[in-house]
Each structure stands twice: as structure tokens, then as C-alpha cells.
Amino acid sequence: MKKFRFLFVCLLSLVGISPSVHAEDSDKPETVVYLPEPQKNIGVPLMKALNDRKTTREFSVRKINDQDLSNLLWAAVGINRPNGKLTIPTARDARDLSVYIIKQGGAYRYNAEDNTLELVNPAALIYMAAKQGFVKDADALLVYVSNNENQDYRAMHAGSAYQNVGLYAASAGMSNVVLGMIDRDMLHKELHLTEKDFVVIGQALGWPKSK
Ligand SMILES: Cc1cc2nc3c(=O)[nH]c(=O)nc-3n(C[C@H](O)[C@H](O)[C@H](O)COP(=O)(O)O)c2cc1C
């Protein structure tokens, strides 16, 4: 299905209808955002990232650019082998975790196969999703969604992903906070999820305030 969607987008481009430009080129949200390739040869040593990993609840006004978005989404649930397997392990190789990213410009679903973001809702849902004041200052809210029937597995899979993102954030010097306190019912509705989908947890991201 994802392949058909991608082919459809390519077809539109061929006939001159551009469904997307660049995430920051226009006020109007793009239907599809093509992310740059994730950078897999950057970052601090793993032991330093582990040492620096922490929760930060303060964010500056600096925006996360598409390169950082690509890197952190790949860290979350990117494909890291030719057989399609992921940066996170999943029980029975279920690969059940989807990541949505909510920014000012709208809510998008990350497609790891073609490294794109697909618009699912143009509203800035971050304000509606947040139950704590500091979240409104974050530039992005990641929402981890799973359709795994096993609630232990889906929690573990989301935990692996948010830890990967937390380590990427530590390496890149970004701020992040895992958020159990989010409005799951609202997100389920506004992200147009199916009955089988479950909003597991969120993670707010941005750049730290300079000291
Ligand atoms: C599953 C989970 C849910 C969390 N939910 C929230 C939350 O809703 N709001 C919040 O401010 N912090 C939340 N946190 C962050 C924790 O409060 C934080 O990890 C803890 O205080 C330890 O701090 P550290 O991450 O800097 O080590 C959550 C962390 C986890 C792992």
C-alpha cells in the first residue's frame, strides 16, 4: 500500500503536480515532505550519548530542520538493513510501531520505506495534545502508535524507539521529554487512526534554551 502511495506521488510529480516542496518553504502544509537522507556517520560516541541522555522541559524558539527530523525519525523506527528490519527490535518481528510527528505546520506520518512525511492533519495538534504547559514551547511532538494486540510488546517497542530518539537528542544537543501525559483520545481521532491502533506515548522535541 505504501508503495502505491509513493508511486502515486511520483506520478503526480511527473505530470507537473507537485504535492510537496520543502517543509519550510511555505506556510501551507505540504501533502508529502521528502526528507533528506539520514546521516548515519555523525554523532558523539555511544557512551557519551548515554552519559548525556536526560529529560529537558525547556525549549528555545529554534526550529528542528528537515535533516535533524530525518535523523531522529530514522533513529526511532528507520530501516537499517536490506531485509527491511528496523533500528529497534520488535517481538516476532512485528514491526508494528508507527511514528507521527506533530509540528506547527500539521501532523504527519513517517514513512520509513521512502523517507517521507505524509500529512494526516493540517492542524497544530500539539496544543490540543499537551497536558503540560512546557510542551507548547517544543517544536515537535512525536507520537508513537502501535497496532500490536499485546500491550506489553507495544509499550516495549515504543520504549525502544523513544530511547533511540533520546540518545540521538543527547548526541545532537537537542531537548527531549517522553510524555505519558497526552490526550490519547483526541490524538486517536485527529490522526485518523484505525480501531486497532493504540496511541502508546509521546515525546516532545526541540532545541534547548541557551544558558
Ligand atoms: C514512560 C514515561 C512517561 C513519562 N511521562 C512524562 C510526562 O508525561 N511528563 C513529563 O514531564 N515527563 C515524563 N517523563 C519523563 C520522566 O519524568 C523522566 O524521565 C524522569 O523524571 C527521569 O529524568 P531523566 O529522564 O532526566 O533521567 C516520562 C518518562 C517515561 C519513561
Side-chain angles (χ1 to χ4, degrees), residues 140-161:
L141 174 67
L142 297 187
V143 181
Y144 297 99
V145 173
S146 168
N147 58 13
N148 200 315
E149 286 176 4
N150 185 311
Q151 64 179 18
D152 292 333
Y153 287 163
R154 65 187 181 226
M156 291 176 200
H157 299 168
S160 296

Side-chain angles (χ1 to χ4, degrees), residues 50-155:
L50 286 165
N51 191 54
D52 292 348
R53 188 224 57 87
K54 65 180 180 198
T55 294
T56 310
R57 297 183 182 83
E58 285 193 335
F59 304 94
S60 75
V61 293
R62 181 177 164 191
K63 301 286 177 203
I64 301 171
N65 66 27
D66 284 3
Q67 184 65 68
D68 282 307
L69 270 190
S70 173
N71 294 353
L72 65 88
L73 288 166
W74 182 80
V77 284
I79 295 168
N80 70 356
R81 281 158 287 172
N83 60 8
K85 293 193 178 188
L86 308 177
T87 53
I88 56 165
T90 56
R92 297 179 184 156
D93 196 18
R95 299 182 216 172
D96 52 288
L97 196 71
S98 302
V99 182
Y100 290 75
I101 180 154
I102 301 174
K103 288 177 61 77
Q104 286 298 331
Y108 293 83
R109 184 178 189 278
Y110 173 56
N111 291 319
E113 277 179 30
D114 48 25
N115 195 33
T116 57
L117 299 176
E118 179 193 359
L119 185 69
V120 294
N121 191 327
L125 303 176
I126 196 161
Y127 299 115
M128 293 159 71
K131 293 194 172 183
Q132 290 167 286
F134 62 82
V135 180
K136 71 178 184 337
D137 298 328
D139 186 42
L141 174 67
L142 297 187
V143 181
Y144 297 99
V145 173
S146 168
N147 58 13
N148 200 315
E149 286 176 4
N150 185 311
Q151 64 179 18
D152 292 333
Y153 287 163
R154 65 187 181 226

Side-chain angles (χ1 to χ4, degrees), residues 187-204:
L187 285 167
H188 193 279
K189 180 166 172 275
E190 298 298 334
L191 295 176
H192 308 302
L193 302 180
T194 69
E195 267 181 26
K196 292 185 172 174
D197 290 325
F198 187 85
V199 176
V200 185
I201 202 147
Q203 186 171 26

